[in-house]
Amino acid sequence: MFGALRLPNTILFGSGQRHVIGSATARFGTRTLVCTDARMAQLDVFAAVIKDLEAHGVEARVFDQTIADLPIDSIKECVAGVGDFKPDSIIGIGGGSCIDMAKVVSVLLTHGGEPSAYYGEFAVPGPVLPLIAVPTTSGTGSEVTPVAVILDSARGTKIGIASPYIIPHMAVCDPELTMTCPVGLTACSGADALAHAVEAFTSKTRPADAMLTEQHVFIGKNLLSDHFARLAVSNVFRYLARACKDGSDVEAREGMMLASLAAGCAFGTAGTAAAHALQYPVGNLTHTSHGDGVGALLPFVMQFNRSASPEAFAELAGVVGLGDASMSVDERSQLFIDEVATLFAAIGIPRSLQALGLASGHENDVAAGALKAERLVKNNPRPLDLAAMLHITQAAYAGERAALLNL
Ligand SMILES: NC(=O)c1ccc[n+]([C@@H]2O[C@H](COP(=O)([O-])OP(=O)(O)OC[C@H]3O[C@@H](n4cnc5c(N)ncnc54)[C@H](O)[C@@H]3O)[C@@H](O)[C@H]2O)c1
Ligand SMILES: [Fe+2]
């Protein structure tokens, strides 16, 4: 048996937990940098957080120009604006883009240089300024993960900085902050959370070598990340459709925030795989949201991967109450994949790359681009080469999972 987890020192989950931010931040010192975006900065709930910081003797410098998907120029703008403020901690409050902004800025303020110096795995040389992550979407799980995703406009692609040093010190997950998410955002961020949980649970299993966590940031399937993945999958199936149908359903919002948090705990150690690798070029070419892209791709990736880990997919069928003992592993695994496709269709995730807006003739570019995301490709349960990526891309473009059945 083998398990591993890398997580924040403190994870808080529950309605109203944001009211601890002032008191908790004061433990790191008297100055904090708050990374958020223009939408969040206008809300009363944000003003209350700043007031709470001040009440605890913490001076807050606010950067509120984070742009979704985190283009590199906005990171440079944030760092330039800090000047000689010298924060003792950094708070990222908002969607995944704001939390990732806080992570990257924490690296740059501590170690200097350009973001590109830290691309890939283990390139951050040491500890960074303490991070407090406060998500307002139920999707990325970035509040607990060792990765930040940047849009490097010069390279024309998204790229990751992956290092255990950028795991936030504290994650404050308050579902009340997600009540304002419109249905489209609820759906795509929920699809992202399910993709994290499923890709972590079905990721490659490596031999339990004692050096595994030293050699990989994302180590593949293991007993402890599996535990969180099951919780995430179960909660997504219980609550995502409800949260999409009625955004004021508090229990559904809570259930989805627990799902995305648990999915982050799972993939932050195990890692994600082909759906996330393919999303990089797909996102670049279609300019669609991360969640819509991974959601559109996930059923096709699962179909391709099923033969490599049928037991894992069959187990997830059990987690969501599908099938029974009389059914074969093959039948139950297929049942789960079909159910994911049904759920995504019901909440409006595009059913194909064509529906997502990918122009025809780009299948080769997508397949070749996805292979460049090595840290994700190496984590896929079934080996991936150009031909394999192309099979998945062509099937996903056409919206035809049947084409992958007997591959
Ligand atoms: N670091 C990680 O572990 C990780 C994992 C997955 C994805 N990501 C990255 O996270 C980013 C996506 O993050 P996201 O999906 O959370 O969205 P986001 O942060 O990109 O925000 C998208 C939009 O939603 C709005 N928004 C956020 N919260 C809202 C709320 N409560 N009510 C209304 N509007 C709200 C934002 O203002 C913004 O306009 C991508 O860049 C993706 O690559 C990071
Ligand atoms: Fe994701």
Side-chain angles (χ1 to χ4, degrees), residues 37 39 69 95-97 100 136-137 140 142 145 147 158 177 180:
D37 62 13
R39 178 201 69 87
D69 288 323
S97 302
D100 286 3
T136 64
T137 58
T140 72
S142 180
T145 70
V147 61
K158 286 258 194 133
L177 296 174
T180 48

Side-chain angles (χ1 to χ4, degrees), residues 55-103:
H56 286 87
V58 182
E59 185 188 347
R61 172 77 59 93
V62 176
F63 177 80
D64 65 3
Q65 295 301 309
T66 303
I67 296 168
D69 288 323
L70 204 49
I72 205 163
D73 287 345
S74 68
I75 299 169
K76 292 178 181 167
E77 192 187 329
C78 178
V79 170
V82 175
D84 55 7
F85 179 63
K86 291 201 174 34
D88 302 308
S89 63
I90 304 189
I91 299 175
I93 178 165
S97 302
C98 297
I99 295 172
D100 286 3
M101 171 69 99
K103 288 175 169 176

